[in-house]
Amino acid sequence: MAEQLVGALDAQRPFSVVRLGDGELLALAADTVLPGEEVQELAPFLPYAGVPRSTPEIRASLAEAIQGADCVGVPISRAPTFQGLLFPVLQHFGIDWPRLRLTSSTINYGLHQSGLLLPILHGRRVLLIGSKAHELGGLLQTHGVHVVGVIDSVAGYSDIPRVMQQTAEVAFDIALVAAGIPAVILCRRIAGELGKVALDFGHLADKLVTGELHL
């Protein structure tokens, strides 16, 4: 994955990496493969993750982003709300998963733990998106990363148009997006509409900022 990201950056080619966890899968499953009421019980955290209520529009946007992403991180866990939902959801939305380029949904952590994250970022113009973007930006800069922009909040799915507009105003090479479920849609749109590289960074941002993990 590091080689693919670097190759896309070197070639100035769009490339999006999105990740599917239980939040994304439950949002897609609501009123499709599971009753909406059951999803609300299983996933009271969805509003925090950027989807106060799963709607047909949100589900369609997520499915489109998965179909169009260059690489899709999927859960290895066979728990009911992870792989137990993955394939029924993909089938419901007509996503031909064997045609997807798959990786682990924890690829963000894998890149970090392998020592490959900083080499990917060095020499690039980096845009950070998410609630921890300012703190993460300061941390990355101490490690020689050129942070050219920060968008420090994404107020759920409805905020995606504003975030995309602000993103388009920044000259950057790679965006690290830590914005809950909307990150899947944002990463795909950043690559598809702006021609850039976008990585769904997830809770790795929080763990680096708090010092639970170190660069």
Side-chain angles (χ1 to χ4, degrees), residues 29-32 34-42 59:
D31 296 317
T32 57
L34 289 177
E37 296 79 8
E38 183 177 348
V39 168
Q40 287 181 345
E41 292 178 7
L42 289 169
R59 293 191 290 272

Side-chain angles (χ1 to χ4, degrees), residues 167-185:
T167 299
E169 296 169 358
V170 181
F172 68 98
D173 302 311
I174 181 172
L176 305 182
V177 186
I181 295 170
V184 174
I185 298 164

Side-chain angles (χ1 to χ4, degrees), residues 10 59 64 83 108 203:
D10 287 345
R59 293 191 290 272
E64 183 180 11
Q83 270 197 22
N108 51 340
H203 285 296

Side-chain angles (χ1 to χ4, degrees), residues 19-22 25 73-78 81-84 86-87 103-106:
R19 301 179 307 105
L20 306 180
D22 55 348
L25 293 171
V74 298
I76 295 173
S77 167
R78 296 188 182 278
T81 57
F82 286 92
Q83 270 197 22
L86 174 66
F87 296 106
T103 185
S104 165
S105 59
T106 57

